[in-house]
Amino acid sequence: MNKRIILLLAAAALFCAAPARADIVRDTLSLNAGWQFHYGEEHTGWQQVDLPHDFQISQPWVAPSAGETGNMNDLAANFRSTLSARAFKELGAGWYRKSLDIPANLKGKRIVLDFQGIMLVGDVYLNGEKVGGTDYGYLGFEVDITDKVKYGEANELMVRADTMGPFNSRWYTGGGLYRDVNLVVTPANGYFTRHPLYLRTESVAGGQAVIDVQAAIFLRERNVQNVSFNVRLLDAEGNVAAEQRTETKYKNWLPGSNYDLEPLVVKNPHLWSCEDPYLYTVEVNLYDASGAVCDQVCEPFGIRTIQFGPSFGFKLNGEKVILKGAANHHTMGPLGAAAYPRAEEYHLKMFKAFGFNHIRSSHNPYSESFLRACDRLGILVVDELYDKWNMQYAGGRRDWKALWQENVEEWVKRDRNHPCVVMWSFGNELQQNPEPYGDFGVTAYRLQRQLLHKYDQGRPTTVAMHPRYRNWETDELPCDLAMETDVASYNYRYMYFPGDGKRYPHMMFYQSEANTSGLPGNWFGMDLDKVIGLAYWGAIDYLGESGGWPAKGFAQGEFDISWEPKPIAYLIKSFFSDEPVVHIGIIERPAADQMWNGIQVGTSYMSEDWNRTAGEKVSLFTYTNADEVELFVGGKSVGVKQNNVSSPNDRNKIRWDDVPYKSGSIEAVARKDGRMVARHKIETVGKPVSLRVEPAVSDWKAGGKDLQFVRITALDSRGRRVWNATNELRFEVAGDASLVGISSGNIYSDEIHTDSQVQLFQGTALAILRSGAEPGAVTLTITASDIKKPVKLPLVTK
């Protein structure tokens, strides 16, 4: 085993789940509250904000000028038309400032600013002096300000965040201090460095697990002797499951030297899995020669093993698991890019309820809190670093060849201890570009992989490729890069898996993007016994990458931008989940001819609205994993159809044409082995007369960062959802909370996501509240046009 301590000149605070003790000397203080912000370069018009904050989400939409297409694929269009990719939001810079008071009694400690990300690039100033920054805002960085601060006085901290130009991203990035900012205080003479622990399950056998533990420290005195470490593994209840002490007798500690800690041996380990994501906590203490604690860090950790192979794909703890996934950008719908842990958790729970077990972080690292949520919920992650390997798409102000070394180190060290991370991906759809080294990505991949292996040896590496070859017209075999990667990741081109696997038996296959319009063939058309799995592109509708104004983004997902499932989400649930499923989706508009990177991505617009015109005939789908479906209109059967399980393109997807509309109801009854296992009924409803208001979070916390999600639905006099309701809603909040996001799910709407009013779409909308600092009562009042009585929703933050 390669167990070591790496001596570096950096510091970071790690999440510690263990109870605090009196001898702990490291402290992490949130700096999220109490900032001022203004947009533009003139330092006027400051407004109060708390972090996380995306300054673009509240900006007005910028419509294309007359004669412009607004389509991001129209390269002849001018500047404002190119904003289609960036969600038709103006691009520019914003400034943040905060007064930072460092008590005089902290002099002699080490003081570090920890930024978890600035979008898209950023610079940090302290008392007018530039002290740090980032050229790649998807990753964090730290700034040691020990010798810069004025102790016992007010210090002015300022940050400039820049979204850069319209061509520096292919989607909506958001802008600003969109992730956490912390102040980390450690001892000055001996401390753990940034992301210091490397934890790896070395083996699980014979009723015990061996955990390889590595750490990184800095000692100011090079001749310190008898430094020691104590490592404890705490179970979920806080009990000690394993403990080891490492004594050292080095005479000369040099930056960059290596050392190892004693491995942890765990009897009867509780393994981490998708169904049972059990987490321990590793606690590591650093002691000086006198036995006093110098520093402590803690890290949640899941004990699990992973295996990859061409004959079985992927195994977790020795059992075959197929990745059933989604590939989305980092943004969170109406919240923009702001990384709220509660929103990340909300997304993941929604996915899990539909049978998903996997996320591909397309095409950049997500937040640390997102990975922690995946750890807690049992979601497997393909962790991706870049879109393209060039300056344009890696921040836009520094050559990628001068950037990747520090990005790889920060990325891998930050994420390597998460049990949810099972594969590293260096980039996306770049193998047709000969740059950066003239060999279509081969050298760039080899260099990154070599550096990554310095920091992690436990996971395969890949690059998402589309197409799988270099030349669309002449090449039949995989490109050179596909022959280099540990895993062959093809976007959309799953149909080449069998042939490539036959030619090259060592290859392992992962469909890194699959299109919703290709359902269900892109799932059932794979050899599920051999493949690693797939990720459905844009599973949640998102801002940016619009097909053209007035659409503000990509809308071909299974869930709309307000996180409401579309009918087609139930098709995925029918094969991602073992739960019996039947669901009706009425085709309101056939699939548009929408090409995306050579792939047809247009999907049919569907609803569940049974308020229609007399004499109308409709086409619809029933999605089911049962043997057959019988369809009833007005209580009378219109036929029985079998589930065509022999056809990958038609399985679980039964189409019905010329179904006569009759006021009353339409119902699908699914049967398996002759027995009814599921049913779905849609009814003709009356006019909206009331609102159903449903808060999603039962443990809404005070403290200034937690969120509450409120789903509002229009109901008729019998309490049924009115799918065609378009009432205007207005929101008022009383108490220590604020309205931070609204959405109806309509990607074509001109409403701003931070406004206090929204028009219902398909009879529903979402309001998102952010808690204030103090616990207490909060009231959300919702007034709807054409509904007499407002709704007052009482809430409490704890």
Side-chain angles (χ1 to χ4, degrees):
M1 292 181 290
N2 181 24
K3 306 177 293 292
R4 61 181 181 249
I5 295 174
I6 307 169
L7 303 179
L8 300 170
L9 297 169
L14 294 178
F15 174 80
C16 184
R21 302 206 312 263
D23 59 350
I24 300 305
V25 291
R26 173 182 290 257
D27 203 0
T28 302
L29 307 172
S30 173
L31 299 182
N32 283 351
W35 290 79
Q36 291 182 308
F37 169 79
H38 78 80
Y39 181 68
E41 301 294 354
E42 298 294 330
H43 289 202
T44 58
W46 294 93
Q47 57 181 293
Q48 195 80 13
V49 299
D50 294 328
L51 309 184
H53 179 247
D54 173 6
F55 67 73
Q56 280 200 297
I57 196 66
S58 60
Q59 291 177 333
W61 309 108
V62 181
S65 301
E68 295 177 344
T69 66
N71 190 321
M72 68 172 293
N73 293 320
D74 183 356
L75 300 181
N78 70 16
F79 173 81
R80 288 185 180 260
S81 185
T82 64
L83 291 181
S84 177
R86 307 290 292 269
F88 297 103
K89 295 284 189 176
E90 200 68 75
L91 302 173
W95 284 86
Y96 296 81
R97 72 180 181 188
K98 180 181 179 66
S99 180
L100 194 62
D101 297 317
I102 307 296
N105 63 3
L106 290 183
K107 196 165 186 177
K109 295 283 190 179
R110 182 171 180 265
I111 313 295
V112 175
L113 294 170
D114 175 30
F115 289 84
Q116 295 190 4
I118 304 176
M119 190 52 63
L120 180 61
V121 297
D123 300 295
V124 179
Y125 300 83
L126 185 66
N127 299 324
E129 177 187 356
K130 183 178 177 180
V131 293
T134 180
D135 295 312
Y136 189 61
Y138 292 97
L139 289 171
F141 64 98
E142 67 182 18
V143 182
D144 189 333
I145 59 172
T146 305
D147 299 328
K148 304 287 185 181
V149 298
K150 296 182 288 188
Y151 293 90
E153 303 179 43
N155 297 265
E156 185 181 55
L157 178 61
M158 297 191 71
V159 178
R160 182 182 184 273
D162 194 335
T163 61
M164 302 297 286
F167 297 110
N168 289 124
S169 178
R170 299 188 298 118
W171 54 83
Y172 175 83
T173 62
L177 291 175
Y178 74 118
R179 292 181 183 167
D180 291 344
V181 178
N182 295 310
L183 184 75
V184 182
V185 181
T186 74
N189 293 325
Y191 51 84
F192 290 102
T193 66
R194 185 170 180 80
H195 310 310
L197 299 185
Y198 179 28
L199 310 171
R200 179 184 174 191
T201 303
E202 183 71 20
S203 64
V204 177
Q208 70 177 27
V210 178
I211 302 173
D212 186 2
V213 182
Q214 302 178 22
I217 65 170
F218 170 76
L219 297 177
R220 191 166 300 277
E221 299 295 332
R222 292 170 56 177
N223 60 353
V224 175
Q225 298 183 44
N226 299 321
V227 173
S228 60
F229 303 84
N230 195 70
V231 182
R232 299 199 304 167
L233 184 74
L234 308 177
D235 65 19
E237 289 72 43
N239 303 309
V240 177
E243 186 169 7
Q244 289 286 0
R245 193 173 183 91
T246 302
E247 304 286 347
T248 70
K249 298 184 181 299
Y250 271 59
K251 294 183 178 179
N252 196 11
W253 292 86
L254 296 174
S257 64
N258 299 331
Y259 191 74
D260 66 331
L261 300 185
E262 293 296 326
L264 289 170
V265 179
V266 188
K267 301 292 185 182
N268 302 313
H270 193 151
L271 301 185
W272 183 95
S273 67
C274 296
E275 298 74 27
D276 184 13
Y278 189 88
L279 291 173
Y280 292 89
T281 298
V282 175
E283 174 195 274
V284 185
N285 287 310
L286 170 65
Y287 298 90
D288 63 19
S290 70
V293 176
C294 295
D295 201 0
Q296 182 201 65
V297 288
C298 300
E299 187 90 1
F301 183 68
I303 300 174
R304 56 99 174 111
T305 62
I306 59 174
Q307 297 169 270
F308 291 81
S311 63
F312 58 84
F314 170 69
K315 289 183 179 180
L316 178 64
N317 301 324
E319 299 291 330
K320 164 73 176 178
V321 174
I322 301 179
L323 302 190
K324 305 172 182 178
N328 265 81
H329 296 305
H330 66 290
T331 50
M332 290 282 153
L335 297 169
Y340 291 94
R342 183 70 79 171
E344 295 162 340
E345 179 184 82
Y346 187 92
H347 271 201
L348 293 171
K349 286 182 175 180
M350 175 190 73
F351 277 134
K352 196 151 190 176
F354 278 76
F356 289 76
N357 66 7
H358 163 52
I359 296 291
R360 174 185 167 216
S361 66
S362 314
H363 303 293
N364 314 91
Y366 288 2
S367 68
E368 295 179 64
S369 55
F370 186 92
L371 293 181
R372 286 198 289 268
C374 290
D375 289 341
R376 294 193 307 271
L377 296 173
I379 302 293
L380 303 167
V381 176
V382 172
D383 199 347
E384 194 155 276
L385 179 56
Y386 295 115
D387 183 19
K388 316 297 184 194
W389 298 335
N390 56 34
M391 178 176 171
Q392 178 181 351
Y393 293 122
R397 70 176 187 181
R398 189 173 166 199
D399 186 2
W400 179 85
K401 288 186 284 188
L403 188 68
W404 68 266
Q405 297 94 331
E406 61 192 60
N407 287 166
V408 168
E409 179 178 359
E410 170 69 13
W411 170 56
V412 177
K413 285 184 174 181
R414 192 197 74 163
D415 296 350
R416 61 190 174 183
N417 294 331
H418 290 279
C420 66
V421 176
V422 296
M423 194 191 315
W424 305 109
S425 174
F426 290 117
N428 174 69
E429 295 180 354
L430 44 76
Q431 78 283 352
Q432 287 188 299
N433 187 347
E435 298 298 327
Y437 298 109
D439 56 3
F440 298 89
V442 171
T443 295
Y445 170 77
R446 288 174 177 173
L447 289 170
Q448 291 175 90
R449 181 177 58 182
Q450 184 68 24
L451 182 59
L452 180 144
H453 284 166
K454 176 179 173 65
Y455 306 117
D456 180 63
Q457 302 87 42
R459 301 168 175 91
T461 59
T462 192
V463 174
M465 283 166 271
H466 179 69
R468 87 193 211 294
Y469 35 75
R470 227 186 318 175
N471 188 298
W472 289 82
E473 298 178 352
T474 62
D475 291 356
E476 295 183 1
L477 300 180
C479 64
D480 294 343
L481 186 57
M483 304 306 296
E484 289 284 334
T485 55
D486 297 335
V487 171
S489 298
Y490 297 171
N491 290 352
Y492 312 108
R493 301 296 183 178
Y494 67 94
M495 64 287 295
Y496 291 105
F497 290 171
D500 289 355
K502 187 175 182 179
R503 290 188 188 98
Y504 310 105
H506 71 280
M507 294 185 82
M508 300 177 287
F509 297 103
Y510 165 61
Q511 192 179 170
S512 35
E513 288 178 21
N515 49 320
T516 301
S517 57
L519 281 164
N522 47 23
W523 173 261
F524 290 116
M526 300 190 299
D527 186 340
L528 299 177
D529 292 329
K530 292 184 176 180
V531 299
I532 293 168
L534 56 62
Y536 280 102
W537 177 254
I540 305 174
D541 293 351
Y542 59 88
L543 294 174
E545 296 190 278
S546 164
W549 182 268
K552 310 308 187 298
F554 186 88
Q556 313 304 322
E558 293 83 58
F559 302 86
D560 70 29
I561 200 169
S562 77
W563 312 328
E564 184 79 347
K566 302 177 186 180
I568 203 165
Y570 293 89
L571 174 56
I572 286 185
K573 186 175 184 178
S574 74
F575 55 81
F576 274 8
S577 167
D578 294 329
E579 178 184 331
V581 171
V582 68
H583 204 89
I584 300 168
I586 301 169
I587 301 172
E588 303 289 357
R589 186 173 63 246
D593 185 17
Q594 185 173 349
M595 299 301 293
W596 200 267
N597 290 338
I599 299 297
Q600 176 59 254
V601 298
T603 56
S604 299
Y605 169 60
M606 290 187 287
S607 81
E608 298 174 38
D609 184 4
W610 199 242
N611 283 49
R612 315 193 75 85
T613 305
E616 181 182 0
K617 293 186 177 181
V618 301
S619 294
L620 58 88
F621 285 107
T622 52
Y623 300 126
T624 188
N625 48 15
D627 297 335
E628 64 180 27
V629 171
E630 185 169 9
L631 194 66
F632 296 85
V633 175
K636 295 184 178 180
S637 176
V638 297
V640 177
K641 290 192 176 185
Q642 301 298 309
N643 185 356
N644 188 1
V645 297
S646 64
S647 169
N649 293 322
D650 299 320
R651 185 171 179 173
N652 291 15
K653 178 182 176 182
I654 302 173
R655 183 177 176 116
W656 306 73
D657 289 313
D658 297 323
V659 176
Y661 168 69
K662 183 178 181 181
S663 180
S665 67
I666 182 169
E667 184 176 21
V669 176
R671 300 186 182 92
K672 188 174 182 64
D673 298 326
R675 183 176 60 87
M676 192 273 290
V677 292
R679 65 198 315 153
H680 181 217
K681 187 176 186 178
I682 302 173
E683 296 181 293
T684 305
V685 298
K687 294 181 179 180
V689 298
S690 65
L691 299 176
R692 181 172 64 224
V693 180
E694 301 169 285
V697 179
S698 59
D699 59 338
W700 191 22
K701 296 179 175 60
K705 188 177 177 181
D706 200 12
L707 300 179
Q708 177 64 264
F709 307 97
V710 181
R711 174 63 60 181
I712 304 101
T713 307
L715 304 178
D716 71 358
S717 60
R718 293 173 57 186
R720 298 172 300 183
R721 177 172 174 173
V722 182
W723 282 84
N724 60 8
T726 57
N727 308 65
E728 187 84 18
L729 304 183
R730 293 183 179 273
F731 303 96
E732 294 181 14
V733 180
D736 195 8
S738 58
L739 184 69
V740 292
I742 57 163
S743 179
S744 66
N746 183 3
I747 203 75
Y748 295 91
S749 171
D750 290 336
E751 294 154 335
I752 303 299
H753 290 297
T754 54
D755 280 354
S756 58
Q757 62 186 56
V758 67
Q759 186 178 34
L760 293 175
F761 177 66
Q762 294 198 340
T764 187
L766 178 72
I768 307 173
L769 279 64
R770 178 174 182 164
S771 66
E774 300 300 324
V778 173
T779 302
L780 174 65
T781 301
I782 307 168
T783 305
S785 62
D786 300 323
I787 294 179
K788 293 182 180 180
K789 189 175 180 180
V791 175
K792 291 185 179 292
L793 175 66
L795 298 163
V796 176
T797 60
K798 303 174 183 178

